[in-house]
Structures are given as structure tokens and as C-alpha cells.
Amino acid sequence: MTSPVRTDSPALLRPVVLFDLDGTLVDTVGLIVDSYAHVFERFGITGIEEAEVRSWIGLALEETFEALDPVRAPAMAEAYRAFNVGHHDERIAPYPGADAHVGTLLDAGADVGVVTSKGSELARRGLTATSMPALDVVIGKEHTLAHKPDPAPLRHALEVLGARAEDAVYVGDAATDLQAAHAAGMAAVGVTWGAGTRPALEAQDPLAVVDSFAELTGLLAPER
């Protein structure tokens, strides 16, 4: 049985704050780009620029590879994961101010969670490696059949928390994050320090696009 969501704090823009992981709370963009590059080299794939690879961050891995090569997609995904997991702990890093920001939200009474397209076990490993405060929920790719930009993962997180969409905000670095938030009926906030660009984020008509965790704290917990 889940505990009731805290909704009585005037210091919060929304009482439920959900985050994308890669490119939002933790800096794994370089590792992800290199993991794709490893797959491209191994399978002889050419002509894909880094900007396109960065646009895939946040999407389900299997779906991305199936669009490239349906026959070899499973082997490509396996090669990606082997490289990514093998270099994970040495390459992952927290974004400056991320842990303090999450701590501020928790102290203010928010329910805070992560909704990511990667597996929840690796997501939790990344949160631990970057000394992130304990979160209320971590939703990974195995929890739903559909993935971002489909709203299913965000809706599942709300179900776990016993929360309403109108009480929640989703924070992410990619257009697909903001699309998923809107589709789920949640507020959406874009961040510019990850894989996405400000114009791409602003095109999704989010509540805001911010350039630092200090700015994000001012938005989500204005009285803290």
C-alpha cells in the first residue's frame, strides 16, 4: 500500500516531481554517444552524426535499433548494453547541484521519482553512484510495454505514488520527455544541460525551460 501523496506544502509548485535520468539528473550523455559509436563500428553502420544520436537519448533502446536494422537489432542492443554497463561507473557523473536540488524538494515535502527508458536496476545503480538522495519511486523500461514519448511510464509512476496528473511535473532534457508529460496530463519542464537544445524543448510548449538547477529549484520550490 502506497503512502498518500503530500499535497499541503505551499513551498512547492507541484507536490509530485518526476525526473528523466540520463541527461537530466546524471551526466551519461558522453557514455551513451560512445556506446552507440561502439555498436556502429562493430556492425559497420556509417553516416550517423552525433546530433542524431543525441536525439535518441531517452527513447527505448530496442525501438531505436529496430528502426536502424530490424534483423540485427537484438544483437545491436546486446552489444550496446555490454559496452554501456562495462563503462558505466567510471563514466557517470552527477550534474552540479542535482543532489542538493533533489534534497530540497524532498525536504519541502515533495514526492520525488525517476522515470527512465533504461532498466530500473541500472538506473538505481546510477543514482547510487552519483550519491543522489533516496527517491520515492524509480520506474524503468521493464515496468510498462510502451515507452516515452508514450505516457504509460509516467502514468505508472503516478499509480505507484497514488497521485494525480494535475499534481505532478516531469522534468527532462529531451523533446520526448516533454511530449510524454503533456500526454500524461502533467506539467512539463525542460532542462538545457543534457542532450536536447533549447529550441527543441521550447517547441514543445513546456511550463519552462531552465539552464541550471538553481533556476529549477526557484521554479519548483520557490519558497525554499
Side-chain angles (χ1 to χ4, degrees):
M1 180 177 179
T2 59
S3 60
V5 175
R6 298 177 287 271
T7 60
D8 57 350
S9 175
L12 292 167
L13 178 71
R14 297 286 192 280
V16 178
V17 183
L18 302 174
F19 291 92
D20 171 54
L21 184 63
D22 296 309
T24 301
L25 282 186
V26 299
D27 186 0
T28 53
V29 174
L31 173 60
I32 291 171
V33 170
D34 288 349
S35 298
Y36 275 111
H38 169 75
V39 173
F40 298 158
E41 181 178 3
R42 177 170 172 179
F43 288 85
I45 297 172
T46 61
I48 299 177
E49 301 294 332
E50 180 176 327
E52 184 176 1
V53 172
R54 291 170 71 95
S55 74
W56 299 339
I57 295 176
L59 299 175
L61 195 61
E62 287 80 4
E63 294 174 8
T64 300
F65 283 128
E66 284 172 6
L68 288 176
D69 189 331
V71 174
R72 297 189 294 174
M76 293 165 69
E78 183 179 353
Y80 176 101
R81 289 196 177 94
F83 183 93
N84 189 277
V85 173
H87 295 82
H88 182 271
D89 290 359
E90 70 193 56
R91 295 286 301 276
I92 193 171
Y95 284 110
D99 55 346
H101 171 73
V102 170
T104 295
L105 293 174
L106 291 168
D107 289 345
D111 282 305
V112 182
V114 157
V115 178
T116 175
S117 295
K118 73 195 316 178
S120 61
E121 181 178 351
L122 189 59
R124 290 183 184 278
R125 178 171 158 183
L127 291 166
T128 299
T130 54
S131 301
M132 208 64 61
L135 303 182
D136 296 296
V137 64
V138 176
I139 301 301
K141 69 178 183 64
E142 73 272 22
H143 289 109
T144 58
L145 295 177
H147 306 288
K148 296 182 296 183
D150 192 279
L154 290 174
R155 288 175 175 164
H156 182 64
L158 294 175
E159 290 173 4
V160 172
L161 291 170
R164 303 178 304 171
E166 56 264 38
D167 290 329
V169 58
Y170 188 50
V171 181
D173 68 308
T176 50
D177 297 323
L178 309 187
Q179 291 164 4
H182 288 316
M186 300 168 53
V189 173
V191 302
T192 60
W193 51 79
T197 65
R198 176 175 279 275
L201 296 169
E202 290 179 340
Q204 302 304 318
D205 194 27
L207 181 66
V209 177
V210 299
D211 299 314
S212 69
F213 273 104
E215 188 178 354
L216 188 60
T217 300
L219 174 69
L220 298 182
E223 297 181 24
R224 304 299 291 185

